[in-house]
Amino acid sequence: AVVSTQSTGVAHGNLSTHQYVIESLKRHAEVSKNSGYPPSSGYEASRKAVADYSSTPECKLTANDVILTSGASGAIELAMNVLLNPGDNILLPKPGFSLYNTIAGSKGYNVKYYDLLPEQSWEVDTQSLRTLIDKNTKAILVNNPSNPCGSVYTAEHLKEILEVAEEFKVPIISDEIYAHMVFSGHTYYPLASLTKSVPILSIGGLAKRFLVPGWRLGWILVCDHGTGIFDQVRFGLVQLTQLILGPNSLIQSILPDILTNTPQSFFDDLTKTLETHSQFSYKRMGKIPGLKPLLSQGSMYEMVEIEITKFKDIADDIVFARKLLEEESVFVLPGQVFKQPNFFRVVFCAPIPKLTEAYDRLQKFCQNHLKEASS
């Protein structure tokens, strides 16, 4: 059997949403009005619930600042479409979630990649970021906490990114779908809470924190700090939502309930489990010759560097991943998917016994392919 290190715990059955969420869905399914077409930007009560859930003292939100979408992926597409025209460019992180580039390419937007620094816990190379901005740059996309890196940025580093955006007057799309999913010693800061001037479209949703990726409910928070800079952006987003007439009506209907009443203990237990799996993965893979895992600070992911020169017949991460699947039936995602050659990504949501089996096979594979002097 193939052992995948790319599936969420939902697929393995060891991580499930809270029973309160399921019961809320059942109750709301019995109300006929929840089966009709909602407004394309979402029910007002549901948008208000997201606004209340997401507001900070520095960034107060109302229902009019929220657009409900078909998952965070749909939110990212809408955010790009409202800020860019074909021929404009957007700055994306490298390594970064591959869908960013897919969406941009499908719409005729040009992409420039700014570097994340593995030796600095994947912080943004802000000097590199500055050099990429030109008159056609219409947005910077920031992902925190990160997929695929598992990094969680400090407030100080986020302010450094904001300084660049402020200097060049470029708005930010902040992908925060892993909000609050951070490990001991780290803190999640909504980017919009750290500025009073940089306009930000913040991306969020239910998929990760509530463990319901298939429910396809995301959102965009329009944060312009009362300046009115994003007035036309708000209007444009509502217009664009009419292309798909909004996300699932039933899932929308439970937002006021589950965003308020899901027990905090559920989220705390999930984070503890993920942190345990992260630490286990880091320690176990750290014992495998030829691999250098980078400890995750949050989310569900860990990046692992492949020391290519220590292997006798592995040319790059693509070859590594292909041979690993063929020989040991273990699936990892090669770093080139994220524009980071000679790394691979692990999703550590699977049960510990499954992870143990995967890492045992991974060690056997590495031992079989290492040069003799590296064994």
PDB file of all heavy atoms in Angstrom, residues 314-346:
ATOM      1  N   ILE A 314      20.660  10.062  -7.351  1.00  0.00           N
ATOM      2  CA  ILE A 314      19.508  10.961  -7.211  1.00  0.00           C
ATOM      3  C   ILE A 314      19.929  12.327  -7.742  1.00  0.00           C
ATOM      4  O   ILE A 314      20.740  13.028  -7.128  1.00  0.00           O
ATOM      5  CB  ILE A 314      19.058  11.076  -5.743  1.00  0.00           C
ATOM      6  CG1 ILE A 314      18.710   9.707  -5.145  1.00  0.00           C
ATOM      7  CG2 ILE A 314      17.886  12.045  -5.622  1.00  0.00           C
ATOM      8  CD1 ILE A 314      17.482   9.066  -5.729  1.00  0.00           C
ATOM      9  N   ALA A 315      19.374  12.717  -8.885  1.00  0.00           N
ATOM     10  CA  ALA A 315      19.782  13.966  -9.531  1.00  0.00           C
ATOM     11  C   ALA A 315      19.132  15.192  -8.891  1.00  0.00           C
ATOM     12  O   ALA A 315      19.738  16.260  -8.821  1.00  0.00           O
ATOM     13  CB  ALA A 315      19.434  13.922 -11.017  1.00  0.00           C
ATOM     14  N   ASP A 316      17.889  15.031  -8.431  1.00  0.00           N
ATOM     15  CA  ASP A 316      17.165  16.170  -7.870  1.00  0.00           C
ATOM     16  C   ASP A 316      15.951  15.667  -7.098  1.00  0.00           C
ATOM     17  O   ASP A 316      15.750  14.451  -6.943  1.00  0.00           O
ATOM     18  CB  ASP A 316      16.744  17.163  -8.963  1.00  0.00           C
ATOM     19  CG  ASP A 316      15.867  16.538 -10.053  1.00  0.00           C
ATOM     20  OD1 ASP A 316      15.205  15.512  -9.786  1.00  0.00           O
ATOM     21  OD2 ASP A 316      15.840  17.073 -11.174  1.00  0.00           O
ATOM     22  N   ASP A 317      15.140  16.590  -6.612  1.00  0.00           N
ATOM     23  CA  ASP A 317      13.982  16.226  -5.796  1.00  0.00           C
ATOM     24  C   ASP A 317      12.911  15.470  -6.590  1.00  0.00           C
ATOM     25  O   ASP A 317      12.188  14.646  -6.023  1.00  0.00           O
ATOM     26  CB  ASP A 317      13.360  17.475  -5.151  1.00  0.00           C
ATOM     27  CG  ASP A 317      13.023  18.549  -6.166  1.00  0.00           C
ATOM     28  OD1 ASP A 317      13.951  19.063  -6.813  1.00  0.00           O
ATOM     29  OD2 ASP A 317      11.834  18.882  -6.316  1.00  0.00           O
ATOM     30  N   ILE A 318      12.803  15.733  -7.877  1.00  0.00           N
ATOM     31  CA  ILE A 318      11.819  15.022  -8.701  1.00  0.00           C
ATOM     32  C   ILE A 318      12.192  13.543  -8.790  1.00  0.00           C
ATOM     33  O   ILE A 318      11.345  12.655  -8.598  1.00  0.00           O
ATOM     34  CB  ILE A 318      11.731  15.638 -10.111  1.00  0.00           C
ATOM     35  CG1 ILE A 318      11.292  17.112 -10.044  1.00  0.00           C
ATOM     36  CG2 ILE A 318      10.790  14.824 -10.992  1.00  0.00           C
ATOM     37  CD1 ILE A 318       9.862  17.318  -9.646  1.00  0.00           C
ATOM     38  N   VAL A 319      13.454  13.281  -9.049  1.00  0.00           N
ATOM     39  CA  VAL A 319      13.930  11.891  -9.110  1.00  0.00           C
ATOM     40  C   VAL A 319      13.773  11.223  -7.751  1.00  0.00           C
ATOM     41  O   VAL A 319      13.355  10.060  -7.658  1.00  0.00           O
ATOM     42  CB  VAL A 319      15.389  11.842  -9.582  1.00  0.00           C
ATOM     43  CG1 VAL A 319      15.934  10.410  -9.515  1.00  0.00           C
ATOM     44  CG2 VAL A 319      15.520  12.393 -10.996  1.00  0.00           C
ATOM     45  N   PHE A 320      14.114  11.948  -6.699  1.00  0.00           N
ATOM     46  CA  PHE A 320      13.981  11.420  -5.332  1.00  0.00           C
ATOM     47  C   PHE A 320      12.539  10.984  -5.072  1.00  0.00           C
ATOM     48  O   PHE A 320      12.281   9.855  -4.621  1.00  0.00           O
ATOM     49  CB  PHE A 320      14.400  12.499  -4.325  1.00  0.00           C
ATOM     50  CG  PHE A 320      14.396  12.057  -2.893  1.00  0.00           C
ATOM     51  CD1 PHE A 320      15.573  11.648  -2.268  1.00  0.00           C
ATOM     52  CD2 PHE A 320      13.229  12.066  -2.134  1.00  0.00           C
ATOM     53  CE1 PHE A 320      15.578  11.248  -0.933  1.00  0.00           C
ATOM     54  CE2 PHE A 320      13.221  11.675  -0.802  1.00  0.00           C
ATOM     55  CZ  PHE A 320      14.399  11.266  -0.204  1.00  0.00           C
ATOM     56  N   ALA A 321      11.584  11.864  -5.353  1.00  0.00           N
ATOM     57  CA  ALA A 321      10.175  11.566  -5.074  1.00  0.00           C
ATOM     58  C   ALA A 321       9.666  10.415  -5.939  1.00  0.00           C
ATOM     59  O   ALA A 321       8.927   9.542  -5.464  1.00  0.00           O
ATOM     60  CB  ALA A 321       9.326  12.814  -5.291  1.00  0.00           C
ATOM     61  N   ARG A 322      10.096  10.383  -7.213  1.00  0.00           N
ATOM     62  CA  ARG A 322       9.623   9.319  -8.105  1.00  0.00           C
ATOM     63  C   ARG A 322      10.158   7.960  -7.675  1.00  0.00           C
ATOM     64  O   ARG A 322       9.397   6.982  -7.585  1.00  0.00           O
ATOM     65  CB  ARG A 322      10.045   9.628  -9.542  1.00  0.00           C
ATOM     66  CG  ARG A 322       9.680   8.533 -10.541  1.00  0.00           C
ATOM     67  CD  ARG A 322       9.997   8.929 -11.965  1.00  0.00           C
ATOM     68  NE  ARG A 322      11.396   9.292 -12.147  1.00  0.00           N
ATOM     69  CZ  ARG A 322      12.393   8.429 -12.266  1.00  0.00           C
ATOM     70  NH1 ARG A 322      12.164   7.115 -12.175  1.00  0.00           N
ATOM     71  NH2 ARG A 322      13.627   8.851 -12.456  1.00  0.00           N
ATOM     72  N   LYS A 323      11.448   7.898  -7.388  1.00  0.00           N
ATOM     73  CA  LYS A 323      12.029   6.615  -6.992  1.00  0.00           C
ATOM     74  C   LYS A 323      11.503   6.154  -5.634  1.00  0.00           C
ATOM     75  O   LYS A 323      11.295   4.952  -5.413  1.00  0.00           O
ATOM     76  CB  LYS A 323      13.556   6.727  -6.953  1.00  0.00           C
ATOM     77  CG  LYS A 323      14.201   6.810  -8.329  1.00  0.00           C
ATOM     78  CD  LYS A 323      15.724   6.670  -8.244  1.00  0.00           C
ATOM     79  CE  LYS A 323      16.343   6.584  -9.622  1.00  0.00           C
ATOM     80  NZ  LYS A 323      17.803   6.322  -9.584  1.00  0.00           N
ATOM     81  N   LEU A 324      11.279   7.111  -4.716  1.00  0.00           N
ATOM     82  CA  LEU A 324      10.739   6.763  -3.407  1.00  0.00           C
ATOM     83  C   LEU A 324       9.353   6.135  -3.546  1.00  0.00           C
ATOM     84  O   LEU A 324       9.031   5.144  -2.869  1.00  0.00           O
ATOM     85  CB  LEU A 324      10.674   8.012  -2.522  1.00  0.00           C
ATOM     86  CG  LEU A 324      10.070   7.858  -1.136  1.00  0.00           C
ATOM     87  CD1 LEU A 324      10.887   6.882  -0.279  1.00  0.00           C
ATOM     88  CD2 LEU A 324       9.970   9.217  -0.435  1.00  0.00           C
ATOM     89  N   LEU A 325       8.554   6.689  -4.433  1.00  0.00           N
ATOM     90  CA  LEU A 325       7.216   6.131  -4.654  1.00  0.00           C
ATOM     91  C   LEU A 325       7.300   4.759  -5.314  1.00  0.00           C
ATOM     92  O   LEU A 325       6.597   3.820  -4.912  1.00  0.00           O
ATOM     93  CB  LEU A 325       6.394   7.092  -5.521  1.00  0.00           C
ATOM     94  CG  LEU A 325       4.956   6.683  -5.830  1.00  0.00           C
ATOM     95  CD1 LEU A 325       4.141   6.514  -4.545  1.00  0.00           C
ATOM     96  CD2 LEU A 325       4.291   7.709  -6.742  1.00  0.00           C
ATOM     97  N   GLU A 326       8.181   4.623  -6.296  1.00  0.00           N
ATOM     98  CA  GLU A 326       8.302   3.351  -7.014  1.00  0.00           C
ATOM     99  C   GLU A 326       8.850   2.239  -6.124  1.00  0.00           C
ATOM    100  O   GLU A 326       8.380   1.095  -6.179  1.00  0.00           O
ATOM    101  CB  GLU A 326       9.222   3.530  -8.220  1.00  0.00           C
ATOM    102  CG  GLU A 326       8.641   4.396  -9.332  1.00  0.00           C
ATOM    103  CD  GLU A 326       9.645   4.710 -10.422  1.00  0.00           C
ATOM    104  OE1 GLU A 326      10.858   4.422 -10.229  1.00  0.00           O
ATOM    105  OE2 GLU A 326       9.236   5.236 -11.474  1.00  0.00           O
ATOM    106  N   GLU A 327       9.833   2.569  -5.294  1.00  0.00           N
ATOM    107  CA  GLU A 327      10.530   1.536  -4.538  1.00  0.00           C
ATOM    108  C   GLU A 327       9.939   1.263  -3.164  1.00  0.00           C
ATOM    109  O   GLU A 327       9.975   0.124  -2.688  1.00  0.00           O
ATOM    110  CB  GLU A 327      12.006   1.928  -4.389  1.00  0.00           C
ATOM    111  CG  GLU A 327      12.743   2.012  -5.722  1.00  0.00           C
ATOM    112  CD  GLU A 327      14.163   2.518  -5.569  1.00  0.00           C
ATOM    113  OE1 GLU A 327      14.714   2.438  -4.439  1.00  0.00           O
ATOM    114  OE2 GLU A 327      14.739   3.000  -6.566  1.00  0.00           O
ATOM    115  N   GLU A 328       9.411   2.304  -2.512  1.00  0.00           N
ATOM    116  CA  GLU A 328       8.923   2.131  -1.140  1.00  0.00           C
ATOM    117  C   GLU A 328       7.459   2.497  -0.957  1.00  0.00           C
ATOM    118  O   GLU A 328       6.928   2.412   0.139  1.00  0.00           O
ATOM    119  CB  GLU A 328       9.775   2.970  -0.181  1.00  0.00           C
ATOM    120  CG  GLU A 328      11.244   2.565  -0.132  1.00  0.00           C
ATOM    121  CD  GLU A 328      11.448   1.160   0.405  1.00  0.00           C
ATOM    122  OE1 GLU A 328      10.571   0.659   1.140  1.00  0.00           O
ATOM    123  OE2 GLU A 328      12.491   0.540   0.074  1.00  0.00           O
ATOM    124  N   SER A 329       6.803   2.906  -2.059  1.00  0.00           N
ATOM    125  CA  SER A 329       5.388   3.294  -2.012  1.00  0.00           C
ATOM    126  C   SER A 329       5.118   4.374  -0.969  1.00  0.00           C
ATOM    127  O   SER A 329       4.116   4.348  -0.249  1.00  0.00           O
ATOM    128  CB  SER A 329       4.498   2.063  -1.741  1.00  0.00           C
ATOM    129  OG  SER A 329       4.596   1.138  -2.796  1.00  0.00           O
ATOM    130  N   VAL A 330       6.035   5.320  -0.871  1.00  0.00           N
ATOM    131  CA  VAL A 330       5.864   6.489  -0.015  1.00  0.00           C
ATOM    132  C   VAL A 330       5.807   7.716  -0.920  1.00  0.00           C
ATOM    133  O   VAL A 330       6.680   7.906  -1.777  1.00  0.00           O
ATOM    134  CB  VAL A 330       7.019   6.637   1.003  1.00  0.00           C
ATOM    135  CG1 VAL A 330       6.902   7.953   1.767  1.00  0.00           C
ATOM    136  CG2 VAL A 330       7.015   5.464   1.966  1.00  0.00           C
ATOM    137  N   PHE A 331       4.779   8.528  -0.725  1.00  0.00           N
ATOM    138  CA  PHE A 331       4.577   9.691  -1.580  1.00  0.00           C
ATOM    139  C   PHE A 331       4.911  10.972  -0.831  1.00  0.00           C
ATOM    140  O   PHE A 331       4.321  11.272   0.208  1.00  0.00           O
ATOM    141  CB  PHE A 331       3.123   9.743  -2.060  1.00  0.00           C
ATOM    142  CG  PHE A 331       2.799  10.963  -2.884  1.00  0.00           C
ATOM    143  CD1 PHE A 331       3.533  11.249  -4.026  1.00  0.00           C
ATOM    144  CD2 PHE A 331       1.774  11.809  -2.523  1.00  0.00           C
ATOM    145  CE1 PHE A 331       3.238  12.378  -4.785  1.00  0.00           C
ATOM    146  CE2 PHE A 331       1.473  12.936  -3.269  1.00  0.00           C
ATOM    147  CZ  PHE A 331       2.207  13.218  -4.414  1.00  0.00           C
ATOM    148  N   VAL A 332       5.883  11.718  -1.354  1.00  0.00           N
ATOM    149  CA  VAL A 332       6.191  13.062  -0.870  1.00  0.00           C
ATOM    150  C   VAL A 332       6.067  14.024  -2.049  1.00  0.00           C
ATOM    151  O   VAL A 332       6.166  13.626  -3.204  1.00  0.00           O
ATOM    152  CB  VAL A 332       7.603  13.163  -0.257  1.00  0.00           C
ATOM    153  CG1 VAL A 332       7.736  12.250   0.956  1.00  0.00           C
ATOM    154  CG2 VAL A 332       8.686  12.852  -1.295  1.00  0.00           C
ATOM    155  N   LEU A 333       5.851  15.292  -1.751  1.00  0.00           N
ATOM    156  CA  LEU A 333       5.693  16.282  -2.807  1.00  0.00           C
ATOM    157  C   LEU A 333       7.025  16.988  -3.041  1.00  0.00           C
ATOM    158  O   LEU A 333       7.575  17.605  -2.114  1.00  0.00           O
ATOM    159  CB  LEU A 333       4.623  17.306  -2.413  1.00  0.00           C
ATOM    160  CG  LEU A 333       3.825  17.958  -3.556  1.00  0.00           C
ATOM    161  CD1 LEU A 333       3.179  16.897  -4.442  1.00  0.00           C
ATOM    162  CD2 LEU A 333       2.755  18.875  -2.990  1.00  0.00           C
ATOM    163  N   PRO A 334       7.597  16.864  -4.242  1.00  0.00           N
ATOM    164  CA  PRO A 334       8.917  17.458  -4.496  1.00  0.00           C
ATOM    165  C   PRO A 334       8.895  18.976  -4.402  1.00  0.00           C
ATOM    166  O   PRO A 334       7.900  19.627  -4.731  1.00  0.00           O
ATOM    167  CB  PRO A 334       9.245  16.988  -5.917  1.00  0.00           C
ATOM    168  CG  PRO A 334       7.942  16.605  -6.529  1.00  0.00           C
ATOM    169  CD  PRO A 334       7.064  16.152  -5.410  1.00  0.00           C
ATOM    170  N   GLY A 335      10.009  19.531  -3.977  1.00  0.00           N
ATOM    171  CA  GLY A 335      10.086  20.963  -3.750  1.00  0.00           C
ATOM    172  C   GLY A 335       9.884  21.804  -4.991  1.00  0.00           C
ATOM    173  O   GLY A 335       9.476  22.977  -4.891  1.00  0.00           O
ATOM    174  N   GLN A 336      10.164  21.254  -6.160  1.00  0.00           N
ATOM    175  CA  GLN A 336       9.981  22.029  -7.383  1.00  0.00           C
ATOM    176  C   GLN A 336       8.530  22.419  -7.609  1.00  0.00           C
ATOM    177  O   GLN A 336       8.250  23.385  -8.323  1.00  0.00           O
ATOM    178  CB  GLN A 336      10.533  21.250  -8.585  1.00  0.00           C
ATOM    179  CG  GLN A 336      12.052  21.165  -8.591  1.00  0.00           C
ATOM    180  CD  GLN A 336      12.609  20.544  -9.844  1.00  0.00           C
ATOM    181  OE1 GLN A 336      12.226  20.899 -10.954  1.00  0.00           O
ATOM    182  NE2 GLN A 336      13.539  19.593  -9.675  1.00  0.00           N
ATOM    183  N   VAL A 337       7.604  21.697  -7.001  1.00  0.00           N
ATOM    184  CA  VAL A 337       6.195  22.085  -7.045  1.00  0.00           C
ATOM    185  C   VAL A 337       6.018  23.481  -6.431  1.00  0.00           C
ATOM    186  O   VAL A 337       5.150  24.255  -6.846  1.00  0.00           O
ATOM    187  CB  VAL A 337       5.331  21.058  -6.292  1.00  0.00           C
ATOM    188  CG1 VAL A 337       3.897  21.549  -6.125  1.00  0.00           C
ATOM    189  CG2 VAL A 337       5.356  19.710  -7.017  1.00  0.00           C
ATOM    190  N   PHE A 338       6.859  23.787  -5.459  1.00  0.00           N
ATOM    191  CA  PHE A 338       6.779  25.059  -4.743  1.00  0.00           C
ATOM    192  C   PHE A 338       7.891  26.028  -5.148  1.00  0.00           C
ATOM    193  O   PHE A 338       8.132  27.021  -4.481  1.00  0.00           O
ATOM    194  CB  PHE A 338       6.869  24.803  -3.233  1.00  0.00           C
ATOM    195  CG  PHE A 338       5.925  23.751  -2.739  1.00  0.00           C
ATOM    196  CD1 PHE A 338       6.394  22.479  -2.412  1.00  0.00           C
ATOM    197  CD2 PHE A 338       4.573  24.007  -2.613  1.00  0.00           C
ATOM    198  CE1 PHE A 338       5.529  21.492  -1.959  1.00  0.00           C
ATOM    199  CE2 PHE A 338       3.706  23.032  -2.167  1.00  0.00           C
ATOM    200  CZ  PHE A 338       4.172  21.773  -1.834  1.00  0.00           C
ATOM    201  N   LYS A 339       8.605  25.708  -6.255  1.00  0.00           N
ATOM    202  CA  LYS A 339       9.736  26.507  -6.745  1.00  0.00           C
ATOM    203  C   LYS A 339      10.928  26.451  -5.794  1.00  0.00           C
ATOM    204  O   LYS A 339      11.715  27.383  -5.714  1.00  0.00           O
ATOM    205  CB  LYS A 339       9.328  27.972  -6.974  1.00  0.00           C
ATOM    206  CG  LYS A 339       8.102  28.170  -7.837  1.00  0.00           C
ATOM    207  CD  LYS A 339       8.334  27.698  -9.251  1.00  0.00           C
ATOM    208  CE  LYS A 339       7.111  27.965 -10.129  1.00  0.00           C
ATOM    209  NZ  LYS A 339       7.273  27.448 -11.507  1.00  0.00           N
ATOM    210  N   GLN A 340      11.102  25.328  -5.077  1.00  0.00           N
ATOM    211  CA  GLN A 340      12.216  25.160  -4.148  1.00  0.00           C
ATOM    212  C   GLN A 340      12.887  23.822  -4.433  1.00  0.00           C
ATOM    213  O   GLN A 340      12.586  22.807  -3.794  1.00  0.00           O
ATOM    214  CB  GLN A 340      11.730  25.228  -2.702  1.00  0.00           C
ATOM    215  CG  GLN A 340      12.841  25.288  -1.657  1.00  0.00           C
ATOM    216  CD  GLN A 340      13.526  26.651  -1.618  1.00  0.00           C
ATOM    217  OE1 GLN A 340      12.995  27.622  -2.110  1.00  0.00           O
ATOM    218  NE2 GLN A 340      14.713  26.708  -1.033  1.00  0.00           N
ATOM    219  N   PRO A 341      13.816  23.776  -5.393  1.00  0.00           N
ATOM    220  CA  PRO A 341      14.447  22.505  -5.773  1.00  0.00           C
ATOM    221  C   PRO A 341      15.204  21.859  -4.611  1.00  0.00           C
ATOM    222  O   PRO A 341      15.705  22.536  -3.711  1.00  0.00           O
ATOM    223  CB  PRO A 341      15.422  22.917  -6.887  1.00  0.00           C
ATOM    224  CG  PRO A 341      14.902  24.229  -7.392  1.00  0.00           C
ATOM    225  CD  PRO A 341      14.290  24.902  -6.204  1.00  0.00           C
ATOM    226  N   ASN A 342      15.261  20.519  -4.664  1.00  0.00           N
ATOM    227  CA  ASN A 342      16.022  19.696  -3.723  1.00  0.00           C
ATOM    228  C   ASN A 342      15.513  19.791  -2.287  1.00  0.00           C
ATOM    229  O   ASN A 342      16.277  19.680  -1.322  1.00  0.00           O
ATOM    230  CB  ASN A 342      17.517  19.999  -3.821  1.00  0.00           C
ATOM    231  CG  ASN A 342      18.068  19.640  -5.180  1.00  0.00           C
ATOM    232  OD1 ASN A 342      17.521  18.772  -5.871  1.00  0.00           O
ATOM    233  ND2 ASN A 342      19.138  20.300  -5.592  1.00  0.00           N
ATOM    234  N   PHE A 343      14.232  20.004  -2.164  1.00  0.00           N
ATOM    235  CA  PHE A 343      13.489  19.861  -0.918  1.00  0.00           C
ATOM    236  C   PHE A 343      12.292  18.963  -1.203  1.00  0.00           C
ATOM    237  O   PHE A 343      11.952  18.706  -2.362  1.00  0.00           O
ATOM    238  CB  PHE A 343      12.975  21.214  -0.414  1.00  0.00           C
ATOM    239  CG  PHE A 343      13.989  22.064   0.297  1.00  0.00           C
ATOM    240  CD1 PHE A 343      14.972  22.736  -0.422  1.00  0.00           C
ATOM    241  CD2 PHE A 343      13.949  22.234   1.684  1.00  0.00           C
ATOM    242  CE1 PHE A 343      15.903  23.535   0.220  1.00  0.00           C
ATOM    243  CE2 PHE A 343      14.867  23.034   2.334  1.00  0.00           C
ATOM    244  CZ  PHE A 343      15.845  23.686   1.604  1.00  0.00           C
ATOM    245  N   PHE A 344      11.636  18.490  -0.173  1.00  0.00           N
ATOM    246  CA  PHE A 344      10.298  17.925  -0.327  1.00  0.00           C
ATOM    247  C   PHE A 344       9.452  18.328   0.869  1.00  0.00           C
ATOM    248  O   PHE A 344       9.968  18.700   1.918  1.00  0.00           O
ATOM    249  CB  PHE A 344      10.313  16.397  -0.519  1.00  0.00           C
ATOM    250  CG  PHE A 344      10.850  15.588   0.627  1.00  0.00           C
ATOM    251  CD1 PHE A 344      10.047  15.237   1.711  1.00  0.00           C
ATOM    252  CD2 PHE A 344      12.166  15.130   0.609  1.00  0.00           C
ATOM    253  CE1 PHE A 344      10.532  14.467   2.755  1.00  0.00           C
ATOM    254  CE2 PHE A 344      12.673  14.358   1.656  1.00  0.00           C
ATOM    255  CZ  PHE A 344      11.852  14.027   2.728  1.00  0.00           C
ATOM    256  N   ARG A 345       8.124  18.293   0.666  1.00  0.00           N
ATOM    257  CA  ARG A 345       7.189  18.681   1.723  1.00  0.00           C
ATOM    258  C   ARG A 345       6.524  17.454   2.325  1.00  0.00           C
ATOM    259  O   ARG A 345       6.149  16.524   1.605  1.00  0.00           O
ATOM    260  CB  ARG A 345       6.102  19.614   1.172  1.00  0.00           C
ATOM    261  CG  ARG A 345       5.191  20.207   2.252  1.00  0.00           C
ATOM    262  CD  ARG A 345       3.922  20.816   1.667  1.00  0.00           C
ATOM    263  NE  ARG A 345       3.005  19.780   1.187  1.00  0.00           N
ATOM    264  CZ  ARG A 345       1.766  20.038   0.760  1.00  0.00           C
ATOM    265  NH1 ARG A 345       1.307  21.275   0.729  1.00  0.00           N
ATOM    266  NH2 ARG A 345       0.989  19.047   0.336  1.00  0.00           N
ATOM    267  N   VAL A 346       6.380  17.496   3.639  1.00  0.00           N
ATOM    268  CA  VAL A 346       5.652  16.467   4.376  1.00  0.00           C
ATOM    269  C   VAL A 346       4.434  17.101   5.030  1.00  0.00           C
ATOM    270  O   VAL A 346       4.521  18.195   5.586  1.00  0.00           O
ATOM    271  CB  VAL A 346       6.557  15.819   5.452  1.00  0.00           C
ATOM    272  CG1 VAL A 346       5.735  15.011   6.443  1.00  0.00           C
ATOM    273  CG2 VAL A 346       7.611  14.943   4.799  1.00  0.00           C
TER     274      VAL A 346
END
